[in-house]
Amino acid sequence: MQKNILFAVLVLLCLNFSVNGQAIISIKGRVMNHIGKPLARASIKTKSAAASSTNDAGEFKMQVTESIGTLSISYTGYKTIIINYSAANRNNLEIILDEETGNLDEVQVMGYGQTTRRLNTGNITTIKAADIEQQPVTNPLAALQGRVPGLTITQTSGVAGSSFKVLIRGQSALDLSKSQNDPLFIIDGVPFEQGNTAISRLNSAAMNSAGEGGLSPLNTINPQDIESIDVLKDADATAIYGSRGANGVILITTKKAKYGKTNFAVNSYTGFSRVGRTMNMLNTSQYVAMRKEAFKNDGITPTAANAPDIMLWDTTRYTDFRKLLIGNTAHDAQMQLTVTGGNEQTNFRLGGNYHRQTAVFSKDFADQVASVSLNVNHRSNNNRFAVQFSAQFANDENRLPGKDFSRYLNLPPNLRLYDEARNLSWADSGVVYNTLGNGDIVNPLALLNETFNGNNSNLTGNLILNYIIVEGLTLKTNLGYNAFFTKGSSLKPSTSIDPYLISDYGVRASSGFSSSQLQNWIIEPQADYKVSVKWGKLSAMIGLTLQSKSSESDYQTGNNYSSDLLLNSIAAAGTITASNDESLYRYSALFGRVNYNYMDRYILNISGRRDGSSRFGPDKQMANFGAVGLAWLFSNEDLIRNNLPFLSSGKLRASYGVTGNDQIGDYKYLNLWSNTTSTYNGLAGLRPNTLFNPDYNWERIRKAEIGLELGFLNDRILLTAAYYRNRCSNQLINYTLPSQTGFFQVVKNFPGLVQNAGLEFTLTTVNLRSNKFKWTSAFNISGNRNKLIDFPNLSSSSYSGSYIEGKSLGVIRALKYLGVNPQTGLYTFEDLNGDGSLTSADYQVFGDKDARFSGGLQNNVSIGNIEFSFFFQFTRQTGLNYVNQLSTSTPGKMYNQPELVLEHWQNPGDDSPVQRLTTAANSTAGLLGYLRLSDGLYTDASFIKLRNINCSWSLPQRWLKHSPLQACRVYAQAQNVLTITGYKGSDPETQNFYVLPPLKTFVFGLQLNL
């Protein structure tokens, strides 16, 4: 027995030193990524031993039979490298992997984790820093336009810092005032609670005449600090966020610290911006001819009383108001400084940015943003404990005029602006401007004296703690804080007021002040477990969310100031009106996810969340949401791999889940009252606002999707296609109540059902590739169909005039426009029921305002050190034409018109798009009221925009060999370069003649690395 044991020990000892006569060599090392983070389960392969993998600390140990050889190290999302080992270095291998640039293996940020396109079961679109940095924009949303299928982003104005409309896969809410369609924005794991809600209650040039638009809070996020933006769309990707992800999720990941020697980078550019597509207006001779013809058609003789503009004013005087008011050149300048460095235990990134852009109104108006960002990573020597801290602070100071000067482009072109003494003119030939028209004929240059100052500050901080308990089990805590502060003032000095209003009506200087603060903190402890099981990999995650958001705001207006010098003091106002508001929101959740990967062929992903919100009444505050995602990587099947060699990758995926919505505002289930200026016995009064209703609960959105992803020729051609169907039920709406109840409205659930369904396609190709030349393309297109599936008792509800069952929420329901009668020269409309009058009973359906399809095309070309790229965005849609803005000013009255009115009707038999000219408010002019209720208001608003051009040249390294520079790059960039459209109006994106269109921007820059 003892001999047998001794023999076995000898055999084992021999095996430890030789196999088939060869020596056994032990190799040890560690694998890390480019920022010094250990990579767990990285694959280690060599010719003379079985494959191995790293542990959670990134360490590996393996035995080989070759004293000199090579190791192949690979990890999903990183470039595979091959290194040499020998007796001299086999025990202290330090291996750094760079991120993979291939599309399928690029890292994607998902809810509480990371994945790749190859292994993802959900629908996530990632926009990388390389695409963002090519665009001279200050708002991250501008960098996404046209690049993400299913994501619609529309700029509301060309004013610097203005807001954007964001919609992911269509509108689901019946009542936009209470159930917003904006997605959830998360920055480095911290919810950006200000979201996409426009800032400030004060009027500024960023708002249109209806009070829509405003300044964007996302303008405080520096695009140059962003590493990637991930757009989560389907249930598998968004259900992990529960109610907060009902309308999609946009994850913004900032740039992180890098491991290596200290590097200093400078990126600076300067440039200019000009107004984009507008409309040509009549010159003075054309305007005078229009006015005279209008009087002739009316049978009225023009006199000094009814036509001072052509009888008293100088008809040879001409002011091109488009050039005067919005034709200036805006100047852009930006400076970005970044320092990175550190060792494998501690590394950092510190960045600072300053951007300034003036306005096309005047050089005195400007928007300037200053920001600073910090990221620090630290890891213990045993690699079990890691901490990551990131913070960003930005201050946006926007000095705008009080109004958008685009709204004054229709002033008479011979309006006198200065009198003989070169003072601003408010009258001409004894005729006071404010007595003409509707009081909107003014001297626009006086409005330059009005000022708006919006000061917005955004602070975001995030601390992530990781600790590896045992191999495969990690505890993680995410601590986040976000604060958004706004302070604004709007001053209207006496120099901007018509002196006749001051003398005759006692109008005095006025001012407005507003301020608000929103503070949000979040705590999310989390446990992750990963293990390799038979035939696959299993990962599980469970976490808890605790969140609190508080907000405060106040608003004051002051009137009847005795001096313009006192406008900045609210206490100096003759009369003061003030209001304030305060709210608190609490949110908690328990969430989890289980993912099983079977041999990289079949992937199952299950996620769930239990949400609790303070926005609902007792017993209604909790709700459950969840999703399941499946993926079949059929290209890894032997049958496919052996018989379809041209198919390099193929995946079929599907998902289904339920998300919710609590975006209804705070305290709406309670009786709410608001103050009123009316008094009773000298005491301030209150009026009812909303009615007590503790019974409404969560809105629910059920999402289903199926997708196909294919790769050909070693993934040089990648094609994805997806079909989705989202159904929103139990709608939260602001229901109008009869006035006799004493309340105007009540928040309630309504059993309406809204569906959004559509198709999305993306195609990326490597067209040509060699050592010195590369050409790649990326194309995407998507189309969404919105439909109101069910609305009980619609005909008897307050929504009967807005929606139709079976049609889109954006349905166009109007009178049928028949054109201009060739004999009478008047607009005509179809009397559907033949009763001799035009009423709502004659309304018909003429499609909808939803985009039929949209997308973009990107091309990147590199030749040696030269890189060139351009991006086209396209949209097929129906929109409002210029009549929507100008029909209130009857062609022929004392308002200028676009050159399109030159095609008006003049003689019997004329086939014209514009009716006969008139100056009177009679039945002829009154037909414009019917025109605004007809489909004649709409036109094809489709467009193709050359959204971005980028060209750069990097100096050859041999030129920099004897300089302190590591890299040097010069570049030129352009944004909103060209618009191709047949749209009858100003810009097909804004669709409003009275709003400044998006600007064309051209910049030239220099980037240095030291």
Side-chain angles (χ1 to χ4, degrees), residues 77-90:
Y78 291 81
K79 295 179 181 179
T80 298
I81 65 172
I82 298 176
I83 65 170
N84 297 315
Y85 68 85
S86 64
N89 69 352
R90 66 179 185 232

Side-chain angles (χ1 to χ4, degrees), residues 720-732:
T720 67
Y723 170 78
Y724 63 88
R725 192 193 72 179
N726 300 340
R727 287 193 166 190
C728 182
S729 61
N730 209 33
Q731 291 264 342
L732 285 166

Side-chain angles (χ1 to χ4, degrees), residues 763-821:
L763 175 66
T764 59
T765 59
V766 179
N767 305 313
L768 293 172
R769 182 170 56 192
S770 65
N771 292 334
K772 294 186 178 182
F773 181 81
K774 186 178 182 181
W775 172 27
T776 63
S777 300
F779 173 80
N780 78 84
I781 185 172
S782 60
N784 180 75
R785 295 296 177 266
N786 180 273
K787 184 186 295 185
L788 179 60
I789 300 294
D790 184 40
F791 197 128
N793 302 316
L794 175 60
S795 60
S796 60
S797 74
S798 57
Y799 294 92
S800 58
S802 303
Y803 302 125
I804 300 175
E805 284 191 74
K807 302 297 182 180
S808 166
L809 297 183
V811 64
I812 299 174
R813 183 172 176 263
L815 297 172
K816 184 176 181 180
Y817 172 64
L818 299 179
V820 176
N821 187 312

Side-chain angles (χ1 to χ4, degrees), residues 698-717:
W698 301 77
E699 190 174 287
R700 294 181 178 273
I701 301 179
R702 290 170 171 81
K703 301 179 179 182
E705 178 167 331
I706 185 170
L708 177 65
E709 302 178 8
L710 301 173
F712 303 94
L713 306 178
N714 293 323
D715 293 338
R716 291 187 61 173
I717 301 175

Side-chain angles (χ1 to χ4, degrees), residues 250 386 417 454 557 603 683 770 774 839:
I250 296 180
L417 300 176
T557 59
I603 302 175
L683 300 177
S770 65
K774 186 178 182 181
T839 66

Side-chain angles (χ1 to χ4, degrees), residues 836-881:
S837 62
L838 297 173
T839 66
S840 59
D842 299 308
Y843 284 2
Q844 303 179 48
V845 175
F846 302 97
D848 55 66
K849 293 173 284 188
D850 303 333
R852 309 308 291 172
F853 60 83
S854 60
L857 173 63
Q858 172 84 19
N859 276 278
N860 297 288
V861 179
S862 61
I863 306 174
N865 294 329
I866 298 176
E867 294 184 355
F868 176 74
S869 66
F870 59 91
F871 176 73
F872 282 98
Q873 179 193 358
F874 58 87
T875 298
R876 177 76 169 88
Q877 63 182 358
T878 298
L880 294 166
N881 58 29

Side-chain angles (χ1 to χ4, degrees), residues 345-631:
Q345 262 68 50
T346 304
N347 43 72
F348 68 94
R349 179 187 186 273
L350 176 64
N353 182 76
Y354 175 78
H355 181 272
R356 187 176 191 271
Q357 180 182 8
T358 62
V360 295
F361 306 133
S362 167
K363 64 180 180 181
D364 296 328
F365 304 109
D367 177 39
Q368 52 188 8
V369 183
S371 64
V372 61
S373 62
L374 172 66
N375 179 265
V376 178
N377 296 324
H378 176 74
R379 185 171 297 276
S380 62
N381 290 329
N382 62 5
N383 293 303
R384 286 188 174 274
F385 176 73
V387 57
Q388 177 178 298
F389 174 76
S390 63
Q392 301 87 37
F393 176 78
N395 178 262
D396 182 0
E397 184 177 13
N398 201 314
R399 296 182 177 272
L400 295 172
K403 297 181 180 67
D404 184 347
F405 286 92
S406 301
R407 68 176 66 180
Y408 299 106
L409 298 183
N410 65 337
L411 289 172
N414 62 335
L415 185 79
R416 187 176 71 164
L417 300 176
Y418 296 97
D419 60 21
E420 292 77 7
R422 295 303 296 170
N423 296 317
L424 291 178
S425 177
W426 295 94
D428 190 1
S429 303
V431 178
V432 179
Y433 295 159
N434 67 52
T435 62
L436 304 172
N438 297 318
D440 50 359
I441 296 181
V442 300
N443 189 329
L445 297 183
L447 301 176
L448 290 171
N449 297 325
E450 294 185 13
T451 60
F452 169 87
N453 184 10
N455 194 301
N456 311 304
S457 298
N458 177 32
L459 172 65
T460 301
N462 177 238
L463 179 66
I464 300 177
L465 306 174
N466 282 278
Y467 188 77
I468 301 173
I469 303 297
V470 295
E471 184 174 347
L473 177 60
T474 303
L475 295 182
K476 176 181 178 181
T477 300
N478 175 37
L479 306 172
Y481 176 77
N482 174 243
F484 199 93
F485 303 95
T486 69
K487 186 177 181 180
S489 63
S490 178
L491 308 181
K492 188 175 183 178
S494 59
T495 55
S496 67
I497 303 175
D498 187 337
Y500 294 94
L501 294 177
I502 296 176
S503 60
D504 296 346
Y505 298 97
V507 177
R508 294 289 183 268
S510 61
S511 63
F513 303 91
S514 71
S515 65
S516 66
Q517 60 178 10
L518 186 155
Q519 299 184 71
N520 165 63
W521 58 259
I522 187 169
I523 301 174
E524 291 186 312
Q526 179 182 328
D528 291 285
Y529 181 68
K530 298 179 181 179
V531 63
S532 295
V533 297
K534 188 177 182 181
W535 308 114
K537 300 175 183 177
L538 176 67
S539 63
M541 179 269 294
I542 188 170
L544 176 68
T545 297
L546 298 173
Q547 182 181 357
S548 176
K549 180 181 75 171
S550 61
S551 62
E552 298 178 8
S553 65
D554 59 78
Y555 174 65
Q556 307 98 29
T557 59
N559 292 284
N560 299 324
Y561 280 90
S562 59
S563 171
D564 289 348
L565 298 176
L566 302 174
L567 286 177
N568 282 302
S569 171
I570 187 65
T575 58
I576 300 173
T577 303
S579 65
N580 68 313
D581 188 28
E582 182 177 350
S583 65
L584 179 65
Y585 169 63
R586 293 289 174 86
Y587 172 87
S588 62
L590 176 67
F591 59 90
R593 176 173 54 227
V594 176
N595 181 281
Y596 179 63
N597 182 333
Y598 178 76
M599 298 179 63
D600 281 347
R601 295 183 182 180
Y602 307 97
I603 302 175
L604 171 66
N605 192 71
I606 301 174
S607 58
R609 191 177 187 101
R610 180 168 175 79
D611 275 356
S613 171
S614 63
R615 288 176 174 153
F616 298 98
D619 301 325
K620 305 293 183 181
Q621 295 179 333
M622 307 301 295
N624 299 319
F625 308 101
V628 59
L630 297 169

Side-chain angles (χ1 to χ4, degrees), residues 287-298:
Y287 171 80
V288 171
M290 175 191 72
R291 292 278 284 150
K292 289 181 177 180
E293 182 180 335
F295 279 106
K296 180 180 179 181
N297 289 341
D298 296 336

